[in-house]
Every structure is written in C-alpha cells, then in structure tokens.
C-alpha cells in the first residue's frame, strides 16, 4: 500500500471537519480560519441571500468547550457595535457540536 499524498490527507481532513448543518438554509462555501477552540466557515444564507460566517466547535473539544462556545454566542448576541459581528443563529450540527 502506498502512502497518501498531503493533498489527499487535506481532502480527507476537510471531509471529516466540514460541518453538516441541520438545515439547508446555510450553504458552506469555504473555511475562513481555525483556532484553538473552533473553526469559522464562510457560508451563504440561502433564505436571505447574504454572506454569513459560521463558527463550529472543533470535534476534539469536550463538554467544557461546548459550554464555553454556547456562552460566547449568548454574550455576542447581546452586543450591538459596528466592530462586532452580530449573531443571528445558534444551534448544533447533526453530530451535536454547537455552532453560531
């Protein structure tokens, strides 16, 4: 058996990490950035026709990180400022990981 190329490994990693959203409203178009706790994806809100960002908890994180991401979404949803991205939705992926 031959080893997988770096490109093949990257494609497999993307397939595992790519969020499977619970509804067809949001269409994920790419990855914006990845941090210690979560990954932010570019998406399109198909209902309203606007670009959005979706933050997803990384798969390897635990219950503490889940609660922290949920609290982060609640706090951000209360803030209104031109320099802060508004939160329009919070929920969970099909596999249970929290998103906002």
């Amino acid at each position: 058996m031959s080893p997988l190329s770096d490109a093949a490994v990257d494609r497999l990693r993307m397939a595992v990490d790519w969020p499977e959203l619970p509804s067809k409203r949001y269409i994920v178009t790419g990855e914006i950035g990845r941090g210690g706790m979560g990954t932010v994806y570019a998406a399109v809100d198909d209902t309203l026709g606007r670009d959005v960002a979706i933050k997803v908890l990384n798969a390897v994180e635990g219950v503490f990180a889940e609660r922290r991401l949920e609290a982060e979404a609640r706090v951000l949803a209360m803030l209104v400022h031109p320099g802060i991205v508004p939160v329009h939705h919070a929920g969970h992926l099909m596999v249970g990981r929290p998103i906002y």
Side-chain angles (χ1 to χ4, degrees):
M1 182 190 294
S2 62
L4 294 173
S5 69
D6 289 343
V9 170
D10 288 342
R11 289 189 70 166
L12 288 170
R13 183 176 292 121
M14 184 184 81
V16 169
D17 289 343
W18 205 259
E20 184 178 348
L21 301 174
S23 77
K24 301 298 181 198
R25 176 176 180 169
Y26 301 103
I27 301 164
V28 178
T29 58
E31 183 179 309
I32 296 173
R34 183 178 293 266
M37 189 170 84
T39 303
V40 178
Y41 295 93
V44 175
D45 181 335
D46 200 38
T47 302
L48 299 176
R50 65 179 171 190
D51 293 331
V52 297
I54 299 174
K55 185 170 185 179
V56 180
L57 183 68
N58 291 335
V60 296
E61 303 299 328
V63 175
F64 176 74
E66 288 181 21
R67 300 298 171 257
R68 190 169 159 195
L69 189 83
E70 291 166 352
E72 179 180 305
R74 282 192 300 277
V75 168
L76 288 174
M78 292 186 286
L79 302 176
V80 179
H81 186 275
I84 299 173
V85 176
V87 174
H88 297 287
H89 175 85
H92 292 83
L93 295 177
M94 302 291 282
V95 295
R97 290 188 293 166
I99 65 169
Y100 71 85

